[in-house]
């Protein structure tokens, strides 16, 4: 097992840090931290429910769960304003929920039903909401990066002050078109923040085995794009780094690369037994660095919530996910006629 | 005012009018602003609309088209130039997996209405990587439209239709047409994507073509007339969607079909057209459909070899003679 250990990159280490009430109060407020906690919990419970439905055969195809990475998207959402855009790859359920998309519509898309966000045509990887400024949900590794730059290009062109958050993984960081987009984004000072969710494994290949430079935040150096490594298991650290990057992007300073050191607890997809890493490695991260546990300890330390209140919150979040799961099974299958629509604009 | 206009200028005029009418229309590509494009099609647009709207890009086809997809999703109408059609290979992901899929995979909630202009075809001794006709690839992808005009007026009207279209359009310009002149476009003669045009009426056989080889088809029809063969020449103008009704109606009258294109023969657009006519017009046919196309091989460099490679009027005449014999 020693070679597997050697594969693992540095473990994020959030949880072991001491949580002191004073420090928490300095960094955030009660309502804010409670909201982050609830948003992360919603993603966690939603994904657990999706995993269950998948196991029951109610979800077909691919299903990439976000469990473990919740602090990244929730923290970044805390860094942006209404109207800013989000685009990501295929591990996208968390992003959609964080953007405020309806869990019912997301789950019903996972089950391929009529009331899913994409009417059952896209599935887990492909949903979109103009209303919530979520631009997908893309299945080709790295392809969302030039598109995210294009969103920023349109913002710049319209002078609308909006910023595009463009997420991708450590795997996508080795795709060529990402670097074309980096160059273009910096050259034209586009209002985009590139967020690398470094969960340490590109499918089954660790960052070390796939990347000559494992510090992915340095990948913008030759384009003069500043990069920052961020503890992606600490929602407040993510938010703070996000705010700096978003501020720069919005005032015309161009892109920043934020490398979020994070970890996915589940396999790459539901069909991945994750034999490329040890059970102990996963367990270690869960115990030491879980982003939700971390937020919980901050809430308790600051005395902003009691254990009982958090249990109640968990109950209500679980109810939302249960309702979504029920909805996703009650919603009808798509009409066969639907197959032929939405290929082109209907005349 | 001249009543004749060159092919490239007609496209330029359409772009200028589209840009003047709608701020959302922008033009991007390699060397298209200052230099006016490798074939001069975007010349003058920079001066008129500024670098905000007419933008030179790095040589990064994947990101150019990817960014255009993103911009189009946000309401812009990007007109992208890819300098040679051979280079679209670098942008295929953005076109095939992104632009073409947006509407469908998001259940009708999104779209990417961009126009990708690109020159295809030989005649310049540009060699194997700067001469290919790759339109069949695009015609095979649901979610994309593909047009290939043969006259300045059609180019003008189809460019206007492409920019106005709510879906992504691949706009193909045959290089050998850039210098060709034709009647200036008339505003009232708008052309819809998907409409073929009869260039010459005839009764004995249908010659179907698109792009530059339409001229060869007309030349061939002229020669055939002197042999007493009356050929109808149809310019398809759009490959996807293509005007199946016009083709079947013509074949129902003439009972013979010759399909011409500069793209290589195997699995080329003519294969689909002949298959469709065989399926839905089989009993109208009095002879097997003929295909006139480049041989199944890369375009050569040497001028003498390239002349043999590209289909011409003589090859069309031979096919027509086989068909009517």
């Amino acid at each position: 097992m020693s070679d597997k250990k050697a594969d693992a990159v540095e473990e994020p280490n959030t949880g072991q840090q001491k949580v002191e009430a004073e420090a928490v109060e300095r960094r955030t407020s009660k309502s804010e931290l409670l909201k982050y906690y609830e948003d992360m919990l919603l993603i966690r419970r939603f994904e657990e429910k999706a995993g269950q439905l998948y196991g029951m055969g109610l979800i077909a195809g691919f299903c990439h769960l976000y469990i473990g990475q919740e602090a990244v998207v929730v923290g970044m959402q805390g860094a942006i304003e209404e109207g800013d855009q989000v685009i990501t790859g295929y591990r996208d359920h968390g992003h959609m929920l964080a953007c405020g998309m309806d869990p019912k519509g997301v789950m019903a898309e996972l089950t391929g039903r009529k009331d899913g966000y994409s009417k059952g045509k896209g599935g887990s990887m492909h949903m979109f909401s103009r209303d919530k400024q979520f631009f997908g949900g893309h299945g080709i590794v790295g392809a969302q990066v030039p598109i995210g730059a294009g969103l920023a290009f349109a913002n710049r062109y319209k002078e609308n002050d909006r910023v595009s958050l463009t997420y991708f993984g450590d795997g996508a960081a080795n795709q060529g078109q990402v670097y074309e987009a980096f160059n273009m984004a910096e050259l034209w000072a586009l209002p985009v923040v590139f967020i690398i969710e470094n969960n340490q494994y590109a499918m089954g290949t660790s960052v070390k085995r796939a990347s000559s430079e494992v510090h992915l935040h340095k990948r913008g150096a030759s384009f003069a794009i500043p990069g920052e490594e961020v503890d992606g298991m600490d929602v407040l650290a993510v938010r703070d780094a996000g705010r700096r990057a978003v501020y720069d992007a919005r005032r015309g300073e161009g892109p920043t690369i934020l490398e979020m050191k994070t970890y996915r607890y589940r396999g790459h997809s539901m069909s991945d037994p994750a034999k490329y890493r040890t059970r102990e490695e996963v367990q270690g991260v869960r115990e030491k660095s879980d982003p939700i546990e971390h937020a919980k300890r901050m809430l308790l330390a600051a005395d902003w919530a009691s254990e009982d209140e958090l249990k109640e919150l968990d109950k209500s979040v679980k109810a939302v996910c249960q309702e979504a799961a029920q909805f996703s099974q009650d919603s009808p299958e798509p009409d066969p006629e639907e197959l032929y629509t939405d290929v082109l604009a209907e005349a | 005012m001249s009543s004749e206009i060159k092919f490239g200028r007609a496209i330029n005029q359409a772009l200028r009018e589209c840009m003047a009418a709608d701020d959302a229309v922008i033009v991007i590509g390699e060397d298209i602003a200052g230099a006016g494009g490798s074939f001069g099609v975007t010349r003058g647009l920079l001066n008129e609309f500024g670098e905000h709207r007419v933008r030179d890009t790095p040589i990064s086809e994947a990101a150019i088209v990817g960014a255009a997809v993103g911009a189009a999703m946000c309401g812009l109408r990007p007109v992208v130039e890819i300098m040679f059609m051979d280079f679209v290979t670098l942008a295929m992901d953005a076109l095939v997996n992104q632009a073409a899929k947006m509407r469908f995979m998001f259940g009708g909630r999104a779209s990417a209405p961009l126009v990708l202009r690109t020159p295809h075809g030989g005649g310049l001794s540009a060699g194997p990587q700067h001469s290919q006709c790759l339109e069949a690839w695009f015609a095979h992808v649901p979610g994309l439209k593909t047009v290939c005009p043969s006259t300045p007026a059609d180019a003008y009207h189809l460019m206007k239709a492409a920019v106005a279209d709510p879906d992504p359009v691949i706009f193909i310009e045959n290089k050998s047409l850039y210098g060709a002149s034709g009647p200036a476009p008339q505003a009232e003669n708008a052309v819809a994507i998907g409409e073929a045009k009869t260039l010459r009426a005839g009764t004995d056989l249908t010659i179907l073509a698109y792009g530059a080889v339409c001229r060869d088809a007309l030349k061939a029809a002229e020669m055939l007339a002197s042999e007493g063969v009356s050929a109808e020449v149809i310019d398809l103008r759009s490959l996807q969607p293509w005007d199946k009704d016009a083709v079947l109606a013509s074949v129902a009258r003439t009972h013979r079909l010759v399909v011409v294109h500069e793209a290589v023969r195997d699995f080329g657009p003519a294969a689909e057209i002949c298959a469709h006519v065989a399926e839905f017009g089989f009993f109208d046919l009095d002879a097997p459909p003929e295909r006139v196309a480049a041989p199944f091989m890369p375009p050569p460099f040497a001028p003498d070899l390239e002349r043999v490679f590209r289909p011409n009027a003589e090859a069309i005449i031979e096919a027509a003679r086989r068909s009517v014999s």
Side-chain angles (χ1 to χ4, degrees), chain B:
Chain B
M1 198 171 131
S2 164
S3 58
E4 291 261 308
I5 188 170
K6 283 194 171 169
F7 191 80
R9 293 311 294 170
I11 298 169
N12 181 280
Q13 186 187 327
L15 289 173
R16 174 174 282 119
E17 291 174 17
C18 289
M19 293 183 80
D22 183 358
D23 276 348
V25 180
I26 59 165
V27 176
I28 62 171
E30 297 158 7
D31 272 358
I32 58 107
S38 285
F39 296 97
V41 174
T42 50
R43 206 171 284 156
L45 297 180
L46 174 65
N47 283 345
E48 195 165 340
F49 299 102
E51 59 182 6
H52 191 49
R53 300 183 65 190
V54 183
R55 187 162 315 218
D56 283 326
T57 63
I59 300 180
S60 305
E61 283 82 3
I64 295 168
V65 182
V69 170
M73 289 172 87
C74 288
L76 298 197
R77 292 281 173 149
V79 180
V80 180
E81 176 177 303
I82 295 295
M83 194 179 283
F84 288 86
M85 192 171 207
D86 314 69
F87 307 166
V88 296
T89 50
L90 295 158
M92 282 309 253
D93 178 51
L95 290 168
V96 174
N97 288 321
Q98 320 306 329
K101 301 297 185 288
M102 285 302 159
R103 190 181 293 282
F104 187 80
M105 78 180 184
F106 294 136
R109 288 173 183 265
S111 62
L114 62 90
V115 179
L116 184 132
R117 291 182 39 241
T118 193
H120 78 170
L124 303 181
S125 281
Q129 296 179 334
H130 291 75
S131 306
Q132 296 170 88
C133 294
L134 302 172
E135 54 272 16
W137 291 355
F138 296 104
H140 192 59
V141 177
L144 295 178
K145 294 182 179 180
T146 302
V147 303
C148 186
S150 75
T151 68
D154 283 350
Y156 167 89
H157 289 301
L158 282 171
M159 178 52 74
K160 292 204 119 180
V163 172
D165 201 276
D167 288 298
V169 179
I170 312 297
F171 189 99
I172 302 168
E173 304 162 9
N174 192 291
K175 286 170 218 135
S176 65
L177 290 174
Y178 282 131
S181 293
Q186 305 295 318
E188 64 273 18
N189 297 338
V191 178
I193 293 173
E195 269 180 17
K197 178 182 173 187
T198 303
L199 299 179
R200 177 189 174 113
T203 54
D204 297 337
L205 86 156
T206 300
I207 303 175
L208 184 62
Y210 62 85
V213 288
C214 285
R215 296 183 305 173
D216 300 290
L218 283 171
K219 222 183 285 172
E222 195 68 38
M223 309 272 281
L224 288 165
S226 67
E227 297 175 15
V229 175
S230 164
E232 179 148 296
V233 178
I234 294 181
D235 178 0
L236 206 49
R237 300 196 290 196
S238 296
L239 284 172
Q240 192 59 269
W242 63 283
D243 199 337
K244 300 178 173 107
D245 293 346
V247 174
L248 287 172
S250 177
V251 170
R253 286 192 304 272
T254 65
H255 311 295
R256 289 177 166 84
L257 177 65
V258 175
V259 187
V260 189
H261 55 59
E262 190 177 332
V264 298
R265 177 184 169 99
D266 294 30
F267 293 88
E272 171 64 20
I273 293 164
C274 291
H276 188 85
V277 171
E279 273 182 292
F280 299 100
F282 185 77
F283 297 105
D284 288 327
L285 286 169
D286 285 345
E290 291 274 347
R291 285 184 282 169
V292 179
F296 188 58
M297 54 176 296
F301 156 69
D304 286 337
L305 291 179
E306 197 179 34
R307 260 193 294 281
V308 181
F309 175 79
R310 300 180 75 206
N312 56 24
E314 287 68 40
I316 299 169
I317 291 166
E318 277 173 38
R321 284 186 189 136
R322 277 197 301 275
S323 182
V324 296
S325 66

